[in-house]
Amino acid sequence: SKMTVKAVKMPCTSANVYTKVPDGGWGWTVAFAFFVVEALTYGIIKSFGVFFNDLMESFDETNSRISWIISICVFVQTFTAPLSTVLSNRFGHRLVVMAGGLLVSAGMVVASFARSVVDMYVTIGVVSGLGYCLSFLPTVTILSQYFDKRRSLVTAVASTGECFAVFSFAPAITALKEQIGWRYSMLSVGVLQLGITACGSLLRPIVIREQEEVKAQPPEESTETKYMLENEQTCTSIESIDSGVDITTSPSNVPGKTKAEPKSEEPKQHGQNPVENNSTPPEPKTKLLDFSVMRDYSFICYAFFGLFATLGFFAPSLYIIPLSRSLGIGKDHSAYILSAMAIAEVFGRIFAGWVLNKKPIRKIYIELICVILLSVALVAFPFAAGFWGLMICSVYFGFMLGTVAGTHIPLLAEDDVVGIERMSSAAGVYVFIQSLAGLAGPPLAGVLVDTTKNYSSAFYSCAAGMVLGAVFLALVRPCKTGLCHQQQQQLQVEESTAGPPPELPDDFIDMDIGKAENSGKGSDSV
C-alpha cells in the first residue's frame, strides 16, 4: 500500500500523520535540525579542548581539576537522560529541545564571567549539561521515528554535524582567542548555541496510523455469508439432529450472524459481536518511562558496552592538543590535528551509515568490528612521534570514532537490542547508564596524567575501557538468541502450561446437553 498523508493542511506546530513510516517527508527537516543540534552540543564539547590551557593558566589549576568541567557536563547530560525521556513523552520533543537550547546558551554565557573553576562546574557542568541532554536525546529519538529503511544512513549523515563543528570551531575559536581573549570567545559560543532553540521548533511530532479501508469490508461479506449459512443449515439440519453437534453452522463459529438461530443473541450479550470486534480498539497510553527494558539481557549487555566505550569517546579529543603541545608542536598545528580528526570522523560516520543500510546484514557485528578497530587506534597514539605521526593517528582514530559514535544510539532501534517500539525509554536508560563513565572518564585520565607526567596514560585508559566495551558488545547477539533467550522461553512455556485451561466454545455445552437428552429418551423407551 502506498504511503499517504491525511489530506488536512496542518500548521507547523501540528503533528504529521502518516499511514506508515515515511522514510522522508518532514523527516528531512528533522534530519537538518539534528545536524545543527549535533554541531552545537557535542561539537562544542569536543572543541572545549581549545580552552584547556587558558583555563589552567587563568585559574592556576591542574589537568584533573580542569577536566572535571567536561566530566560533570557529560555526567549531568547522561544522568538526566531518563528525565529527558519523561519530559519528551509528557510535553513533546519540541518544547523540551527548545528549553534545552536556552539552558545550554545560558550556562555557556554565564561561564564566560566565571572567577574560579568551581563556577565552571556549576555553569557548564550542571546548567549546560542539563541543556545538552534535553537537546540531543529527544532530537535523535524523533529522527529515528521518521525513518525505517534509511534510518542508519540518515542518522549517520546527520550526526556529522559535530564533526563539521569541531573542524570549523577549533581553528575559529583559536583565532578568536588571540583577538578578544578566551572569555569573550566563550561568550560568543554561548550566543551561537541559541540556534538549538530554533532547531527545536522544527521537530514536529509524528503519528503512524494504519489505513481504515479494511473497516468497510466486513458488512459486505456478512450479507453474503448470511445466505450461505441459511443454505447450509437447510442441508445439514437432519444430520445435526442425529448427532447433536453444530460444526460449521453455529453463529459463534462463523463470522456473520443469522436470524434463524436463537443462539445468536448470546454472543451479543457477551460482547462477541463481530462488528464490535472490528471496531478500532482504544490506543494504549504511552508510558512516560518503560523500565521493562532492564529485563532484556541483550539490552543489559549493550548498556555495559556503552558504559565502558564512553571512556574512549571524549578524552582523546580533550587531550590531543595538550599531547601535541608536549611534543613541541605549535598551537596552529595542534588545532589542525583536531580538525583533521573531525574531517575523518565525517567520512567514518557516512561510511558506517552506508554499510549498515545494506541488507541483509547483521548490524551488531559491524559495530563490534568498528569498536575493536577503535581500540587499536587508541593504543596507537602513545607511539606517535612528531606532527605527521599524530596526524595519521588522529585521522585513523577520527574515522573509527565516526563509525561507532554515529551509530551506537540508533542501533537501539534494531531488533537485536530492543526495537523501535521501546527505543525512547531504552535510549533514556542507556544514556543514563553511560553517565558513570562520563563522570569518571576525563578525571581518571587527568589523574593518570598528573601522576605519570605523560599524556600517553590517558589514551591507555581509554583503550582499556573500549576493549571491555567490545567484550560486552560481543555478548548482545548471543543473549538475544542464545542460551539466555532459550532459558527465558522455557520459563514462559512453563508459566503458560500452568495457567488456566483454554476456554471451550459455546457449542460444547449444547453438545453435552443434546447427548444427555438423547440418552435419557433411549432409556425411557427401553
Side-chain angles (χ1 to χ4, degrees):
S1 59
K2 187 178 180 181
M3 185 271 295
T4 58
V5 187
K6 277 194 173 181
V8 179
K9 293 183 178 180
M10 294 176 293
C12 184
T13 57
S14 301
N16 286 332
V17 183
Y18 295 90
T19 58
K20 58 185 289 188
V21 179
D23 259 331
W26 190 258
W28 298 116
T29 305
V30 177
F32 172 76
F34 179 59
F35 178 88
V36 178
V37 169
E38 275 270 0
L40 298 179
T41 53
Y42 280 103
I44 298 298
I45 293 176
K46 290 188 176 182
S47 302
F48 195 78
V50 299
F51 294 107
F52 210 84
N53 292 328
D54 298 300
L55 296 179
M56 285 195 300
E57 294 175 1
S58 299
F59 299 140
D60 192 20
E61 296 289 352
T62 61
N63 281 284
S64 58
R65 286 182 61 85
I66 297 298
S67 300
W68 274 100
I69 299 174
I70 294 299
S71 178
I72 295 175
C73 177
V74 175
F75 171 75
V76 173
Q77 177 189 3
T78 53
F79 186 80
T80 56
L83 174 63
S84 175
T85 300
V86 171
L87 293 177
S88 298
N89 292 334
R90 177 64 180 85
F91 301 103
H93 298 79
R94 178 187 294 110
L95 292 179
V96 174
V97 173
M98 294 176 68
L102 293 176
L103 289 176
V104 170
S105 178
M108 190 66 70
V109 168
V110 176
S112 63
F113 300 98
R115 296 301 174 185
S116 66
V117 69
V118 177
D119 296 338
M120 290 278 188
Y121 293 162
V122 177
T123 54
I124 296 180
V126 178
V127 179
S128 292
L130 178 60
Y132 287 136
C133 178
L134 298 181
S135 303
F136 171 77
L137 197 57
T139 310
V140 69
T141 301
I142 195 172
L143 178 63
S144 299
Q145 296 174 1
Y146 269 95
F147 292 90
D148 182 17
K149 297 179 181 178
R150 303 174 180 173
R151 183 186 300 131
S152 299
L153 181 60
V154 172
T155 306
V157 174
S159 65
T160 59
E162 69 175 82
C163 309
F164 285 105
V166 175
F167 169 71
S168 57
F169 287 167
I173 296 175
T174 302
L176 192 62
K177 286 192 306 177
E178 297 178 356
Q179 301 296 327
I180 60 177
W182 69 268
R183 290 187 180 274
Y184 288 106
S185 300
M186 188 174 292
L187 176 64
S188 302
V189 172
V191 173
L192 182 64
Q193 287 178 315
L194 280 175
I196 298 175
T197 304
C199 293
S201 64
L202 301 176
L203 304 181
R204 288 187 189 176
I206 179 174
V207 178
I208 306 297
R209 293 179 182 173
E210 296 181 356
Q211 291 181 346
E212 301 178 357
E213 297 176 358
V214 185
K215 294 183 179 180
Q217 296 178 359
E220 297 177 0
E221 295 180 358
S222 61
T223 56
E224 184 178 352
T225 308
K226 174 181 176 180
Y227 294 108
M228 294 174 61
L229 291 175
E230 290 178 352
N231 294 332
E232 190 176 355
Q233 285 176 346
T234 56
C235 295
T236 59
S237 58
I238 299 176
E239 297 177 0
S240 61
I241 292 174
D242 295 336
S243 61
V245 179
D246 270 346
I247 301 176
T248 59
T249 61
S250 173
S252 61
N253 294 336
V254 181
K257 302 291 187 242
T258 60
K259 298 180 181 178
E261 291 290 336
K263 287 188 293 183
S264 61
E265 298 177 357
E266 295 180 357
K268 293 181 181 180
Q269 296 176 358
H270 295 284
Q272 298 177 355
N273 195 334
V275 178
E276 296 178 0
N277 290 337
N278 290 332
S279 60
T280 304
E283 296 182 359
K285 294 183 179 179
T286 303
K287 294 183 179 180
L288 295 181
L289 188 62
D290 186 6
F291 277 102
S292 64
V293 295
M294 294 299 296
R295 296 195 296 267
D296 195 331
Y297 296 124
S298 60
F299 174 76
I300 294 175
C301 291
Y302 198 83
F304 275 109
F305 150 69
L307 176 68
F308 291 107
T310 304
L311 294 174
F313 282 168
F314 295 99
S317 301
L318 197 62
Y319 283 99
I320 187 63
I321 291 181
L323 176 63
S324 60
R325 295 296 302 277
S326 66
L327 296 178
I329 301 174
K331 293 182 179 180
D332 295 336
H333 289 80
S334 299
Y336 292 151
I337 293 176
L338 188 60
S339 299
M341 181 189 299
I343 295 175
E345 188 174 346
V346 171
F347 290 100
R349 289 172 182 263
I350 296 176
F351 175 77
W354 176 75
V355 172
L356 295 179
N357 200 51
K358 297 293 183 180
K359 290 186 178 182
I361 191 171
R362 186 63 64 184
K363 298 180 181 181
I364 202 73
Y365 293 151
I366 301 298
E367 185 82 356
L368 176 60
I369 295 174
C370 295
V371 171
I372 295 174
L373 295 177
L374 182 58
S375 304
V376 175
L378 289 169
V379 176
F381 269 103
F383 298 96
F387 172 77
W388 289 109
L390 275 181
M391 179 64 77
I392 295 174
C393 290
S394 298
V395 170
Y396 175 54
F397 171 79
F399 183 86
M400 299 313 306
L401 179 64
T403 61
V404 177
T407 56
H408 70 108
I409 292 181
L411 276 182
L412 289 169
E414 300 298 326
D415 294 333
D416 283 339
V417 190
V418 295
I420 187 62
E421 294 81 7
R422 297 189 294 170
M423 182 193 174
S424 180
S425 297
V429 177
Y430 173 75
V431 178
F432 169 78
I433 294 175
Q434 284 185 292
S435 62
L436 298 177
L439 177 66
L444 175 62
V447 170
L448 292 175
V449 170
D450 292 336
T451 303
T452 61
K453 306 299 180 181
N454 190 350
Y455 286 101
S456 299
S457 57
F459 293 90
Y460 284 133
S461 65
C462 295
M466 195 64 66
V467 170
L468 287 175
V471 173
F472 283 100
L473 183 61
L475 297 175
V476 172
R477 179 65 181 169
C479 285
K480 195 69 175 182
T481 59
L483 296 177
C484 297
H485 188 62
Q486 292 178 359
Q487 293 176 358
Q488 189 175 5
Q489 285 183 341
Q490 291 177 359
L491 292 176
Q492 293 178 354
V493 171
E494 293 177 358
E495 292 177 357
S496 61
T497 54
E503 297 182 358
L504 297 175
D506 296 338
D507 293 342
F508 185 79
I509 301 176
D510 297 336
M511 291 164 51
D512 293 340
I513 295 175
K515 289 181 179 180
E517 291 177 353
N518 292 333
S519 61
K521 293 178 180 179
S523 61
D524 293 339
S525 61
V526 174

